[in-house]
Amino acid sequence: KAGVTQTPRYLIKTRGQQVTLSCSPISGHRSVSWYQQTPGQGLQFLFEYFSETQRNKGNFPGRFSGRQFSNSRSEMNVSTLELGDSALYLCASSAEALHEQYFGPGTRLTVT
Amino acid sequence: AQKVTQAQTEISVVEKEDVTLDCVYETRDTTYYLFWYKQPPSGELVFLIRRNSFDEQNEISGRYSWNFQKSTSSFNFTITASQVVDSAVYFCALSEAQTGANNLFFGTGTRLTVIP
């Protein structure tokens, strides 16, 4: 089975812009979760989608949003980018809740 | 509130030595799951193990073994006969059943360097 894929792998944006990241889960997995990884805050949960519905959300401002499509592919959007949004954004897929999550290679976002 | 503590920030060992990575967790939930992930320099998190709160049996997988002790809220990870390829950052994580969702709380990670 193909693993979790994320596009793009690298992205450079300017403050105030918006960005959309994409994630394709492992075939058959209906849950997609997003995490932010920074040197200062570590790995933090952003949100999870299951069958096109947001099931859980972490403690991030409303500038961070996401959605999931009927084929389980997911996108996350960050509007009005800030320098502090520079991070590695990781997507993970899982067959069911509380099962192991398999991570993609991540998207490295740099905000200048 | 939930919390995962990995007190060891960095560990260096010489190849073939055994090494144990510590993980202590806090949760009010009676049903929860614990995980270990490996993050090599490439950046992708690699799943290693998942353990539920009702299963305290130790597990061994090749050179890897895990010791889960509810009495001390610990879920430690031992690598036997370490190899250079084991060099990575290792994360312990917790998921609580009451959330009913895939929400992993990660520790800060332990960077393991295996010296040839």
Side-chain angles (χ1 to χ4, degrees):
Chain A
K1 268 187 181 179
V4 178
T5 58
Q6 292 186 244
T7 57
R9 293 292 311 279
Y10 302 92
L11 209 48
I12 300 175
K13 289 286 187 179
T14 304
R15 268 184 307 174
Q17 289 186 314
Q18 75 165 18
V19 66
T20 299
L21 312 182
S22 181
C23 171
S24 292
I26 292 171
S27 177
H29 285 189
R30 294 185 296 166
S31 166
V32 174
S33 298
W34 289 88
Y35 294 84
Q36 181 197 64
Q37 185 176 25
T38 60
Q41 300 299 316
L43 277 156
Q44 294 185 288
F45 171 77
L46 280 157
F47 31 65
E48 183 214 6
Y49 286 87
F50 184 85
S51 294
E52 302 180 66
T53 301
Q54 188 180 88
R55 186 156 65 176
N56 206 350
K57 188 178 190 306
N59 190 25
F60 278 82
R63 301 185 296 107
F64 292 82
S65 62
R67 59 177 175 169
Q68 186 179 34
F69 302 95
S70 58
N71 61 358
S72 293
R73 189 177 69 85
S74 177
E75 289 181 346
M76 69 163 279
N77 184 276
V78 187
S79 63
T80 319
L81 284 166
E82 301 177 359
L83 294 178
D85 297 333
S86 294
L88 179 66
Y89 290 89
L90 292 160
C91 163
S93 78
S94 175
E96 297 290 344
L98 305 169
H99 281 214
E100 55 269 27
Q101 296 181 46
Y102 294 93
F103 284 79
T107 294
R108 171 89 47 196
L109 171 65
T110 302
V111 182
T112 62
Chain B
Q2 61 289 117
K3 186 177 180 182
V4 177
T5 301
Q6 295 181 256
Q8 304 151 307
T9 306
E10 294 191 33
I11 300 177
S12 291
V13 298
V14 176
E15 201 171 19
K16 297 185 183 177
E17 286 185 344
D18 299 347
V19 59
T20 295
L21 309 182
D22 298 332
C23 173
V24 174
Y25 62 91
E26 295 176 28
T27 177
R28 293 178 185 166
D29 206 348
T30 54
T31 304
Y32 51 90
Y33 294 82
L34 296 165
F35 304 80
W36 276 95
Y37 283 86
K38 172 182 179 180
Q39 188 174 41
S42 62
E44 188 167 337
L45 280 165
V46 177
F47 167 77
L48 294 177
I49 189 171
R50 165 180 172 265
R51 174 69 62 182
N52 75 55
S53 52
F54 298 107
D55 184 1
E56 285 193 74
Q57 285 192 4
N58 292 334
E59 178 146 344
I60 298 174
S61 176
R63 297 184 297 106
Y64 295 170
S65 62
W66 290 269
N67 180 263
F68 176 29
Q69 292 194 341
K70 286 180 74 172
S71 60
T72 57
S73 297
S74 64
F75 187 42
N76 297 336
F77 172 32
T78 297
I79 302 174
T80 302
S82 59
Q83 300 176 1
V84 173
V85 293
D86 296 327
S87 296
V89 181
Y90 291 85
F91 291 93
C92 180
L94 165 74
S95 188
E96 297 174 320
Q98 66 178 356
T99 67
N102 286 320
N103 178 358
L104 287 172
F105 296 95
F106 284 90
T108 51
T110 297
R111 181 178 299 278
L112 173 66
T113 301
V114 181
I115 304 166

